[in-house]
C-alpha cells in the first residue's frame, strides 16, 4: 500500500513563536522610547541641610536645543530655599510661585540640559517628586509631571522622583522663610496654563498609548490562532 504524502504544515509551536516575535516587534516600534528627566542628590537623608540636587533632561527634539527647565518644588521646599549652583553658560535661575525656572541661550542640538541647585534642607518625607517642564527653542514643550501612587506602575512622562532615607540622629527641621503652606500643583505649560489634561506623550501625541493597545490586541489574536492550530492538529491526528 502506497503511502500518500500530505503537505507538511507549520507546527503550532513554530507558529506561536513567530506570532509572539511579530507582536513584540510591533510593541517596540509602535511605542517609541521617550526621553526623560532625572534628579540625583548629594545627600538623600530626610532633614539633611545644604543638599545639592542635580537635574538632567535628556535631549529629544530633532531640530532644537533646550532653552528652559521649569521645576515645581514638592511640599516642604519653598522657592526661597533654593539657590543655583551650576548651569549651562548664560543660564540663570528665576523663582516662581511654586518653584523656579533655569534657562538662557539655547543649547546645542542634542545636548542634555543639566543644572544643580542647593536646597536649604530636605523635608521629612520618603520620596520627593519634582514635576518638570522642558522647553526647547521654537516653543516645543515636554512635560514630566506624572506621579504614580505608591505601589503602582511607573506612569508615562513620570516626574523626576527622589527617594529619601531616614533622617540622621538628631535631625530637626529648620524654619524656612518661604515654607508657607501651598497645595501641590501641576507644572504649567509655557503659557502658564495647567497641563493636567495634557496628552499622554511628551510632545502632546497619544500615539505611544495607541501603539501599546494595538500590540496587546495582536498578542491576543496570535494566542487565539495558536490555540486554533493546536485543536486542528489534534483533530486530524
Amino acid at each position: 500500500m502506497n503511502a500518500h504524502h500530505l503537505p507538511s504544515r507549520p507546527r503550532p509551536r513554530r507558529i506561536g513563536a513567530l506570532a509572539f516575535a511579530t507582536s513584540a516587534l510591533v510593541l517596540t516600534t509602535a511605542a517609541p522610547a521617550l526621553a526623560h528627566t532625572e534628579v540625583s542628590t548629594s545627600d538623600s537623608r530626610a532633614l539633611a541641610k545644604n543638599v545639592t540636587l542635580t537635574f538632567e533632561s535628556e535631549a529629544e527634539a530633532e531640530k532644537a536645543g533646550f532653552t528652559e527647565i521649569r521645576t515645581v518644588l514638592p511640599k516642604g521646599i519653598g522657592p526661597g530655599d533654593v539657590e543655583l549652583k551650576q548651569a549651562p553658560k548664560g543660564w540663570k535661575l528665576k523663582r516662581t510661585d511654586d518653584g523656579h525656572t533655569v534657562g538662557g541661550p539655547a543649547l546645542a542640538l542634542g545636548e542634555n540640559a543639566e543644572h544643580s541647585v542647593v536646597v536649604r534642607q530636605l523635608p521629612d518625607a520618603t520620596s520627593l517628586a519634582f514635576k518638570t517642564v522642558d522647553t526647547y527653542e521654537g516653543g516645543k514643550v515636554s512635560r514630566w509631571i506624572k506621579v504614580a501612587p505608591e505601589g503602582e506602575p511607573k506612569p508615562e512622562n513620570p516626574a523626576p522622583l527622589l527617594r529619601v532615607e531616614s533622617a540622621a540622629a538628631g535631625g530637626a527641621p529648620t524654619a524656612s522663610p518661604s515654607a508657607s503652606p501651598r497645595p501641590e500643583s501641576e507644572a504649567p505649560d509655557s503659557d502658564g496654563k495647567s497641563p493636567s489634561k495634557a496628552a499622554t506623550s511628551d510632545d502632546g501625541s497619544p500615539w505611544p498609548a495607541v501603539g501599546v493597545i494595538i500590540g496587546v490586541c495582536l498578542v491576543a489574536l496570535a494566542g487565539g490562532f495558536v490555540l486554533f492550530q493546536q485543536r486542528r492538529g489534534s483533530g486530524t491526528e
Side-chain angles (χ1 to χ4, degrees), residues 37 55 57 60 66-72 91 98 100-103 113 115 130-136 139-146 157-160 185-196 198 202:
T37 296
F55 297 87
S57 295
E60 63 177 13
F66 286 108
T67 58
E68 182 183 87
I69 308 298
R70 179 166 184 176
T71 302
V72 173
W91 282 35
D98 54 6
H100 62 267
T101 65
V102 178
H115 71 277
F130 296 84
K131 298 178 181 180
T132 303
V133 174
D134 302 335
T135 302
Y136 295 84
K140 174 180 169 61
V141 171
S142 295
R143 306 174 184 87
W144 303 94
I145 59 176
K146 302 301 181 183
N157 297 56
S185 62
E186 294 280 10
D189 289 335
S190 57
D191 60 0
K193 297 180 180 179
S194 171
S196 57
D202 61 303

Side-chain angles (χ1 to χ4, degrees), residues 38 59 78 93 98 102 165 214:
E38 296 181 343
L93 183 145
D98 54 6
V102 178
E165 302 173 5
I214 293 174

Side-chain angles (χ1 to χ4, degrees), residues 4-214:
H4 295 282
H5 295 284
L6 298 176
S8 61
R9 295 176 302 167
R11 294 182 179 179
R13 289 183 179 178
R14 293 182 180 178
I15 296 174
L18 179 60
F20 178 80
T22 302
S23 301
L25 178 62
V26 171
L27 280 172
T28 55
T29 56
L34 298 178
H36 60 278
T37 296
E38 296 181 343
V39 59
S40 58
T41 178
S42 61
D43 192 339
S44 60
R45 296 173 298 173
L47 303 179
K49 299 179 181 180
N50 299 319
V51 175
T52 298
L53 299 181
T54 300
F55 297 87
E56 182 174 9
S57 295
E58 183 180 353
E60 63 177 13
E62 298 179 354
K63 299 181 180 180
F66 286 108
T67 58
E68 182 183 87
I69 308 298
R70 179 166 184 176
T71 302
V72 173
L73 295 171
K75 185 177 180 180
I77 302 178
D81 299 332
V82 176
E83 296 290 342
L84 183 63
K85 180 177 182 179
Q86 179 272 332
K89 184 177 180 180
W91 282 35
K92 300 182 182 300
L93 183 145
K94 296 181 180 179
R95 293 181 175 84
T96 62
D97 292 339
D98 54 6
H100 62 267
T101 65
V102 178
L107 300 184
L109 181 63
E111 181 180 349
N112 293 349
E114 181 176 334
H115 71 277
S116 299
V117 297
V118 177
V119 177
R120 181 192 301 271
Q121 185 177 37
L122 293 183
D124 189 3
T126 57
S127 65
L128 300 172
F130 296 84
K131 298 178 181 180
T132 303
V133 174
D134 302 335
T135 302
Y136 295 84
E137 187 177 22
K140 174 180 169 61
V141 171
S142 295
R143 306 174 184 87
W144 303 94
I145 59 176
K146 302 301 181 183
V147 180
E150 189 69 27
E152 293 192 8
K154 190 175 183 178
E156 290 186 26
N157 297 56
L161 190 66
L162 182 67
R163 299 295 180 183
V164 182
E165 302 173 5
S166 300
T174 302
S176 170
S178 57
S180 56
R182 61 176 176 82
E184 288 278 340
S185 62
E186 294 280 10
D189 289 335
S190 57
D191 60 0
K193 297 180 180 179
S194 171
S196 57
K197 296 182 180 180
T200 56
S201 72
D202 61 303
D203 59 358
S205 169
W207 288 117
V210 174
V212 172
I213 294 174
I214 293 174

